[in-house]
Amino acid sequence: MAEELQLTPSASKEERYKELLPQIEALVTGEPDLIANMANVASAIRMATGYLWVGFYLVKEDELVLGPFQGPIACTRIQKGKGVCGIAWATKQTQLVPDVDAFPGHIACSSDSRSEIVVPGIKNGEVIFVLDVDSARLKELDEADARFFEKVVSLLQ
Ligand code: SME
């Protein structure tokens, strides 16, 4: 495993994600522990993007419970159907929120968050975790991020 990510600083978001994906794949390949992999994936995404908060919530009984993350401290438990995370769980669909203030029920763990993406991780038809990414910039998170984070999540299943 390489100790540092190799990314071209001037590359576009899409190009950087193309460079990053195989490196994330290499990080998790051969390691069966989901929590260990989530910890490294959260770090890799935050180091590569500089986004405000990158992390995971795991489905435990009837709640989402905070898992490995990078960034400011966060809410520890989220109910199904509540907030962007709870809706991603309930709908089993990626939630792309360009403006968190325009999303009814958004849970503001950090008042600095302006845009957000949540991707559900699904195993045997059931959501087992969500990947949540927050940006401090309005509309910074877009379809390119959503597609990339979906690929990352698929590496963790
Ligand atoms: N904003 C999320 C809560 C989790 S934090 O962003 C880390 C939500 O609305 O579900």
Short mmCIF file of all heavy atoms in Angstrom, two decimals, residues 44-90:
data_model
loop_
_atom_site.label_atom_id
_atom_site.label_comp_id
_atom_site.label_asym_id
_atom_site.label_seq_id
_atom_site.Cartn_x
_atom_site.Cartn_y
_atom_site.Cartn_z
N ALA A 44 -8.86 9.22 2.76
CA ALA A 44 -8.41 9.43 1.37
C ALA A 44 -9.26 10.48 0.67
O ALA A 44 -8.74 11.37 -0.02
CB ALA A 44 -8.47 8.10 0.59
N ILE A 45 -10.59 10.40 0.86
CA ILE A 45 -11.46 11.37 0.17
C ILE A 45 -11.22 12.78 0.73
O ILE A 45 -11.12 13.75 -0.01
CB ILE A 45 -12.95 10.98 0.30
CG1 ILE A 45 -13.23 9.67 -0.43
CG2 ILE A 45 -13.84 12.09 -0.27
CD1 ILE A 45 -14.64 9.13 -0.23
N ARG A 46 -11.10 12.88 2.04
CA ARG A 46 -10.93 14.24 2.60
C ARG A 46 -9.58 14.82 2.21
O ARG A 46 -9.48 16.00 1.86
CB ARG A 46 -11.09 14.23 4.11
CG ARG A 46 -11.11 15.65 4.66
CD ARG A 46 -11.96 15.77 5.89
NE ARG A 46 -12.19 17.15 6.26
CZ ARG A 46 -11.48 17.81 7.18
NH1 ARG A 46 -10.47 17.22 7.79
NH2 ARG A 46 -11.78 19.05 7.49
N MET A 47 -8.52 13.99 2.23
CA MET A 47 -7.20 14.49 1.83
C MET A 47 -7.20 14.93 0.37
O MET A 47 -6.57 15.92 0.01
CB MET A 47 -6.14 13.39 2.01
CG MET A 47 -5.89 12.97 3.44
SD MET A 47 -5.18 14.25 4.46
CE MET A 47 -3.51 14.27 3.87
N ALA A 48 -7.92 14.18 -0.48
CA ALA A 48 -7.90 14.46 -1.91
C ALA A 48 -8.79 15.63 -2.29
O ALA A 48 -8.54 16.30 -3.30
CB ALA A 48 -8.33 13.21 -2.68
N THR A 49 -9.84 15.88 -1.51
CA THR A 49 -10.83 16.89 -1.91
C THR A 49 -10.81 18.15 -1.04
O THR A 49 -11.21 19.22 -1.50
CB THR A 49 -12.26 16.32 -1.84
OG1 THR A 49 -12.54 15.98 -0.48
CG2 THR A 49 -12.42 15.11 -2.74
N GLY A 50 -10.45 17.99 0.22
CA GLY A 50 -10.54 19.12 1.14
C GLY A 50 -11.96 19.43 1.57
O GLY A 50 -12.22 20.46 2.19
N TYR A 51 -12.92 18.55 1.26
CA TYR A 51 -14.29 18.79 1.68
C TYR A 51 -14.37 18.83 3.21
O TYR A 51 -13.55 18.25 3.92
CB TYR A 51 -15.23 17.72 1.12
CG TYR A 51 -15.45 17.82 -0.38
CD1 TYR A 51 -15.72 16.68 -1.15
CD2 TYR A 51 -15.39 19.04 -1.03
CE1 TYR A 51 -15.91 16.78 -2.53
CE2 TYR A 51 -15.58 19.14 -2.41
CZ TYR A 51 -15.83 18.01 -3.15
OH TYR A 51 -16.02 18.12 -4.50
N LEU A 52 -15.43 19.50 3.69
CA LEU A 52 -15.56 19.78 5.12
C LEU A 52 -15.64 18.51 5.97
O LEU A 52 -14.98 18.40 7.01
CB LEU A 52 -16.84 20.61 5.32
CG LEU A 52 -17.23 20.93 6.76
CD1 LEU A 52 -16.22 21.90 7.39
CD2 LEU A 52 -18.64 21.53 6.80
N TRP A 53 -16.47 17.56 5.54
CA TRP A 53 -16.73 16.37 6.38
C TRP A 53 -16.94 15.18 5.46
O TRP A 53 -17.71 15.26 4.49
CB TRP A 53 -17.98 16.61 7.23
CG TRP A 53 -18.14 15.67 8.38
CD1 TRP A 53 -17.70 15.88 9.66
CD2 TRP A 53 -18.81 14.39 8.40
NE1 TRP A 53 -18.04 14.80 10.45
CE2 TRP A 53 -18.72 13.88 9.71
CE3 TRP A 53 -19.46 13.63 7.42
CZ2 TRP A 53 -19.26 12.64 10.08
CZ3 TRP A 53 -20.00 12.40 7.78
CH2 TRP A 53 -19.90 11.92 9.10
N VAL A 54 -16.25 14.11 5.74
CA VAL A 54 -16.40 12.87 4.96
C VAL A 54 -16.50 11.72 5.95
O VAL A 54 -15.59 11.53 6.77
CB VAL A 54 -15.17 12.63 4.05
CG1 VAL A 54 -15.36 11.35 3.23
CG2 VAL A 54 -14.88 13.81 3.15
N GLY A 55 -17.58 10.97 5.89
CA GLY A 55 -17.66 9.87 6.84
C GLY A 55 -18.82 8.94 6.61
O GLY A 55 -19.57 9.07 5.63
N PHE A 56 -18.95 8.02 7.53
CA PHE A 56 -19.93 6.94 7.39
C PHE A 56 -20.85 6.89 8.60
O PHE A 56 -20.42 7.18 9.74
CB PHE A 56 -19.20 5.59 7.27
CG PHE A 56 -18.39 5.47 6.02
CD1 PHE A 56 -17.07 5.91 5.99
CD2 PHE A 56 -18.95 4.95 4.86
CE1 PHE A 56 -16.31 5.81 4.82
CE2 PHE A 56 -18.20 4.85 3.69
CZ PHE A 56 -16.89 5.28 3.68
N TYR A 57 -22.09 6.51 8.34
CA TYR A 57 -23.02 6.11 9.40
C TYR A 57 -23.41 4.67 9.12
O TYR A 57 -23.69 4.31 7.96
CB TYR A 57 -24.28 7.00 9.40
CG TYR A 57 -24.05 8.36 10.00
CD1 TYR A 57 -23.61 9.43 9.22
CD2 TYR A 57 -24.29 8.60 11.35
CE1 TYR A 57 -23.40 10.69 9.77
CE2 TYR A 57 -24.09 9.86 11.91
CZ TYR A 57 -23.65 10.89 11.12
OH TYR A 57 -23.44 12.14 11.67
N LEU A 58 -23.43 3.84 10.16
CA LEU A 58 -23.78 2.43 9.99
C LEU A 58 -25.19 2.18 10.51
O LEU A 58 -25.57 2.71 11.57
CB LEU A 58 -22.79 1.56 10.76
CG LEU A 58 -21.38 1.61 10.15
CD1 LEU A 58 -20.41 2.26 11.10
CD2 LEU A 58 -20.92 0.23 9.75
N VAL A 59 -25.95 1.35 9.79
CA VAL A 59 -27.28 0.96 10.26
C VAL A 59 -27.10 0.00 11.43
O VAL A 59 -26.46 -1.06 11.29
CB VAL A 59 -28.09 0.29 9.13
CG1 VAL A 59 -29.40 -0.25 9.68
CG2 VAL A 59 -28.35 1.27 7.99
N LYS A 60 -27.62 0.40 12.59
CA LYS A 60 -27.59 -0.47 13.77
C LYS A 60 -29.00 -0.50 14.34
O LYS A 60 -29.48 0.52 14.83
CB LYS A 60 -26.58 0.04 14.81
CG LYS A 60 -25.15 -0.04 14.27
CD LYS A 60 -24.09 0.15 15.33
CE LYS A 60 -22.71 -0.02 14.69
NZ LYS A 60 -21.63 0.33 15.60
N GLU A 61 -29.64 -1.67 14.22
CA GLU A 61 -31.05 -1.82 14.58
C GLU A 61 -31.87 -0.78 13.81
O GLU A 61 -31.85 -0.79 12.61
CB GLU A 61 -31.22 -1.79 16.09
CG GLU A 61 -30.49 -2.98 16.72
CD GLU A 61 -30.42 -2.93 18.22
OE1 GLU A 61 -31.10 -2.12 18.84
OE2 GLU A 61 -29.66 -3.76 18.75
N ASP A 62 -32.53 0.15 14.52
CA ASP A 62 -33.41 1.06 13.78
C ASP A 62 -32.86 2.47 13.66
O ASP A 62 -33.60 3.43 13.49
CB ASP A 62 -34.80 1.10 14.47
CG ASP A 62 -34.67 1.53 15.93
OD1 ASP A 62 -33.54 1.61 16.44
OD2 ASP A 62 -35.72 1.79 16.55
N GLU A 63 -31.53 2.60 13.74
CA GLU A 63 -30.91 3.92 13.65
C GLU A 63 -29.65 3.87 12.80
O GLU A 63 -29.05 2.81 12.62
CB GLU A 63 -30.48 4.41 15.04
CG GLU A 63 -31.59 4.76 15.97
CD GLU A 63 -31.05 5.17 17.33
OE1 GLU A 63 -30.20 4.44 17.89
OE2 GLU A 63 -31.48 6.21 17.83
N LEU A 64 -29.23 5.07 12.33
CA LEU A 64 -27.88 5.22 11.79
C LEU A 64 -26.99 5.68 12.93
O LEU A 64 -27.34 6.62 13.66
CB LEU A 64 -27.86 6.28 10.68
CG LEU A 64 -28.51 5.91 9.36
CD1 LEU A 64 -28.62 7.16 8.48
CD2 LEU A 64 -27.72 4.83 8.63
N VAL A 65 -25.84 5.03 13.08
CA VAL A 65 -24.91 5.38 14.15
C VAL A 65 -23.58 5.80 13.51
O VAL A 65 -23.10 5.15 12.57
CB VAL A 65 -24.71 4.20 15.13
CG1 VAL A 65 -23.76 4.61 16.26
CG2 VAL A 65 -26.05 3.77 15.71
N LEU A 66 -23.01 6.88 14.03
CA LEU A 66 -21.77 7.44 13.49
C LEU A 66 -20.65 6.40 13.43
O LEU A 66 -20.44 5.65 14.39
CB LEU A 66 -21.34 8.62 14.38
CG LEU A 66 -20.12 9.42 13.93
CD1 LEU A 66 -20.36 10.10 12.59
CD2 LEU A 66 -19.75 10.47 14.99
N GLY A 67 -19.99 6.36 12.30
CA GLY A 67 -18.84 5.47 12.09
C GLY A 67 -17.59 6.28 11.81
O GLY A 67 -17.52 7.46 12.17
N PRO A 68 -16.61 5.68 11.13
CA PRO A 68 -15.36 6.39 10.84
C PRO A 68 -15.62 7.65 10.02
O PRO A 68 -16.42 7.63 9.08
CB PRO A 68 -14.56 5.38 10.02
CG PRO A 68 -15.11 4.05 10.42
CD PRO A 68 -16.57 4.29 10.67
N PHE A 69 -14.95 8.75 10.39
CA PHE A 69 -15.11 9.99 9.63
C PHE A 69 -13.88 10.86 9.77
O PHE A 69 -13.03 10.62 10.64
CB PHE A 69 -16.36 10.76 10.09
CG PHE A 69 -16.24 11.42 11.44
CD1 PHE A 69 -15.87 12.76 11.54
CD2 PHE A 69 -16.48 10.72 12.60
CE1 PHE A 69 -15.75 13.38 12.78
CE2 PHE A 69 -16.36 11.33 13.84
CZ PHE A 69 -16.00 12.66 13.94
N GLN A 70 -13.81 11.89 8.92
CA GLN A 70 -12.78 12.93 8.99
C GLN A 70 -13.50 14.26 8.93
O GLN A 70 -14.35 14.48 8.06
CB GLN A 70 -11.84 12.82 7.78
CG GLN A 70 -11.05 11.54 7.72
CD GLN A 70 -9.79 11.58 8.55
OE1 GLN A 70 -9.08 12.57 8.55
NE2 GLN A 70 -9.53 10.51 9.27
N GLY A 71 -13.16 15.15 9.86
CA GLY A 71 -13.79 16.47 9.86
C GLY A 71 -14.30 16.82 11.24
O GLY A 71 -13.98 16.14 12.22
N PRO A 72 -15.11 17.88 11.32
CA PRO A 72 -15.62 18.32 12.62
C PRO A 72 -16.48 17.25 13.29
O PRO A 72 -17.04 16.39 12.60
CB PRO A 72 -16.48 19.55 12.28
CG PRO A 72 -16.10 19.94 10.90
CD PRO A 72 -15.56 18.74 10.21
N ILE A 73 -16.59 17.33 14.61
CA ILE A 73 -17.45 16.38 15.34
C ILE A 73 -18.86 16.43 14.78
O ILE A 73 -19.31 17.46 14.27
CB ILE A 73 -17.46 16.66 16.86
CG1 ILE A 73 -17.88 18.10 17.15
CG2 ILE A 73 -16.10 16.36 17.47
CD1 ILE A 73 -18.10 18.37 18.63
N ALA A 74 -19.58 15.29 14.90
CA ALA A 74 -20.87 15.18 14.21
C ALA A 74 -21.91 14.51 15.09
O ALA A 74 -21.59 13.89 16.12
CB ALA A 74 -20.66 14.36 12.94
N CYS A 75 -23.17 14.61 14.65
CA CYS A 75 -24.28 13.94 15.34
C CYS A 75 -23.99 12.44 15.38
O CYS A 75 -23.51 11.88 14.39
CB CYS A 75 -25.59 14.11 14.58
SG CYS A 75 -25.76 15.64 13.68
N THR A 76 -24.32 11.78 16.49
CA THR A 76 -23.99 10.36 16.60
C THR A 76 -25.09 9.44 16.08
O THR A 76 -24.80 8.35 15.61
CB THR A 76 -23.65 9.98 18.05
OG1 THR A 76 -24.67 10.47 18.90
CG2 THR A 76 -22.31 10.56 18.47
N ARG A 77 -26.37 9.88 16.19
CA ARG A 77 -27.47 8.98 15.78
C ARG A 77 -28.47 9.72 14.91
O ARG A 77 -28.82 10.87 15.20
CB ARG A 77 -28.19 8.41 17.01
CG ARG A 77 -27.33 7.40 17.74
CD ARG A 77 -27.92 6.95 19.06
NE ARG A 77 -26.93 6.16 19.77
CZ ARG A 77 -26.80 4.82 19.65
NH1 ARG A 77 -27.65 4.14 18.91
NH2 ARG A 77 -25.85 4.18 20.29
N ILE A 78 -28.94 9.06 13.86
CA ILE A 78 -29.93 9.65 12.95
C ILE A 78 -31.03 8.61 12.71
O ILE A 78 -30.73 7.44 12.45
CB ILE A 78 -29.25 10.06 11.61
CG1 ILE A 78 -28.19 11.15 11.86
CG2 ILE A 78 -30.29 10.53 10.60
CD1 ILE A 78 -27.35 11.50 10.65
N GLN A 79 -32.27 9.05 12.79
CA GLN A 79 -33.40 8.14 12.60
C GLN A 79 -33.69 7.93 11.11
O GLN A 79 -33.45 8.82 10.30
CB GLN A 79 -34.68 8.71 13.26
CG GLN A 79 -34.50 9.18 14.69
CD GLN A 79 -34.04 8.08 15.61
OE1 GLN A 79 -34.59 6.99 15.59
NE2 GLN A 79 -33.01 8.35 16.39
N LYS A 80 -34.27 6.78 10.80
CA LYS A 80 -34.64 6.48 9.41
C LYS A 80 -35.63 7.54 8.91
O LYS A 80 -36.58 7.89 9.62
CB LYS A 80 -35.29 5.09 9.34
CG LYS A 80 -35.39 4.56 7.92
CD LYS A 80 -35.84 3.11 7.93
CE LYS A 80 -35.66 2.47 6.56
NZ LYS A 80 -36.02 1.06 6.56
N GLY A 81 -35.38 8.06 7.70
CA GLY A 81 -36.27 9.06 7.13
C GLY A 81 -35.97 10.48 7.58
O GLY A 81 -36.59 11.42 7.08
N LYS A 82 -35.02 10.66 8.52
CA LYS A 82 -34.69 12.00 9.01
C LYS A 82 -33.40 12.49 8.38
O LYS A 82 -32.43 11.73 8.26
CB LYS A 82 -34.51 11.99 10.53
CG LYS A 82 -35.73 11.55 11.29
CD LYS A 82 -36.84 12.59 11.22
CE LYS A 82 -38.07 12.14 11.98
NZ LYS A 82 -39.24 12.95 11.72
N GLY A 83 -33.38 13.78 8.02
CA GLY A 83 -32.18 14.37 7.45
C GLY A 83 -31.84 13.74 6.10
O GLY A 83 -32.55 12.86 5.61
N VAL A 84 -30.75 14.20 5.53
CA VAL A 84 -30.35 13.69 4.22
C VAL A 84 -29.93 12.22 4.35
O VAL A 84 -30.27 11.38 3.50
CB VAL A 84 -29.18 14.54 3.65
CG1 VAL A 84 -28.87 14.11 2.22
CG2 VAL A 84 -29.51 16.03 3.69
N CYS A 85 -29.23 11.91 5.44
CA CYS A 85 -28.77 10.53 5.65
C CYS A 85 -29.95 9.56 5.82
O CYS A 85 -29.98 8.49 5.21
CB CYS A 85 -27.88 10.45 6.88
SG CYS A 85 -26.31 11.30 6.69
N GLY A 86 -30.90 9.96 6.65
CA GLY A 86 -32.04 9.09 6.92
C GLY A 86 -32.92 8.89 5.68
O GLY A 86 -33.54 7.82 5.52
N ILE A 87 -32.95 9.89 4.82
CA ILE A 87 -33.73 9.75 3.58
C ILE A 87 -32.99 8.85 2.58
O ILE A 87 -33.61 8.04 1.90
CB ILE A 87 -34.07 11.14 3.00
CG1 ILE A 87 -35.12 11.79 3.93
CG2 ILE A 87 -34.60 11.04 1.57
CD1 ILE A 87 -35.51 13.19 3.61
N ALA A 88 -31.65 8.98 2.52
CA ALA A 88 -30.88 8.06 1.66
C ALA A 88 -31.10 6.61 2.11
O ALA A 88 -31.21 5.70 1.28
CB ALA A 88 -29.39 8.42 1.72
N TRP A 89 -31.18 6.41 3.41
CA TRP A 89 -31.44 5.06 3.96
C TRP A 89 -32.85 4.60 3.56
O TRP A 89 -33.03 3.51 3.00
CB TRP A 89 -31.27 5.10 5.48
CG TRP A 89 -31.57 3.82 6.19
CD1 TRP A 89 -31.70 2.56 5.64
CD2 TRP A 89 -31.76 3.65 7.60
NE1 TRP A 89 -31.96 1.65 6.64
CE2 TRP A 89 -32.00 2.28 7.84
CE3 TRP A 89 -31.74 4.54 8.68
CZ2 TRP A 89 -32.24 1.77 9.12
CZ3 TRP A 89 -31.95 4.04 9.96
CH2 TRP A 89 -32.21 2.66 10.17
N ALA A 90 -33.83 5.45 3.80
CA ALA A 90 -35.23 5.06 3.56
C ALA A 90 -35.52 4.82 2.08
O ALA A 90 -36.27 3.91 1.73
CB ALA A 90 -36.17 6.14 4.11
#
